[in-house]
Amino acid sequence: MMTFHKLVTVSFYFSLVCVILGIYFKISHIPITQFWLTITIFPILVFIATAIYEVRSSERINQSEKTMWTIAFIFLTIFTGIIYFSMARKRITAAY
């Protein structure tokens, strides 16, 4: 069974790969692009929901930082995910 910590990680990398493939399909003018980008919405939504839950349930950061991360995940999903995984996740989720 997959732990919640792994679910956040897997959903981030899966959504990142889907977005990169969608960009490639769009640049290459492949006919399946619209369908692919529509399907890509679901892994992104899973990542947003799990990452926001992980940030909100953290006891190591204050409420204003939780709000900042929540807004960033909603509006700048992939960029925020990269920053979150590369710099902030260890500090925010030390319980894992």
Side-chain angles (χ1 to χ4, degrees), residues 3-71:
T3 64
F4 186 76
H5 186 68
K6 285 187 180 184
L7 177 63
V8 176
T9 305
V10 169
S11 66
F12 169 69
Y13 288 119
F14 186 65
S15 63
L16 183 65
V17 167
C18 289
V19 167
I20 291 171
L21 282 174
I23 292 168
Y24 172 74
F25 291 163
K26 192 72 171 172
I27 291 171
S28 300
H29 301 289
I30 296 176
I32 197 171
T33 303
Q34 291 300 83
F35 175 73
W36 184 262
L37 291 175
T38 304
I39 296 300
T40 301
I41 291 172
F42 297 110
I44 290 173
L45 289 176
V46 170
F47 168 65
I48 290 171
T50 55
I52 288 174
Y53 179 77
E54 186 174 73
V55 167
R56 287 289 182 184
S57 62
S58 174
E59 296 176 359
R60 303 198 72 213
I61 57 175
N62 60 21
Q63 188 62 35
S64 62
E65 191 173 353
K66 289 178 183 182
T67 303
M68 183 224 28
W69 280 110
T70 302
I71 292 169

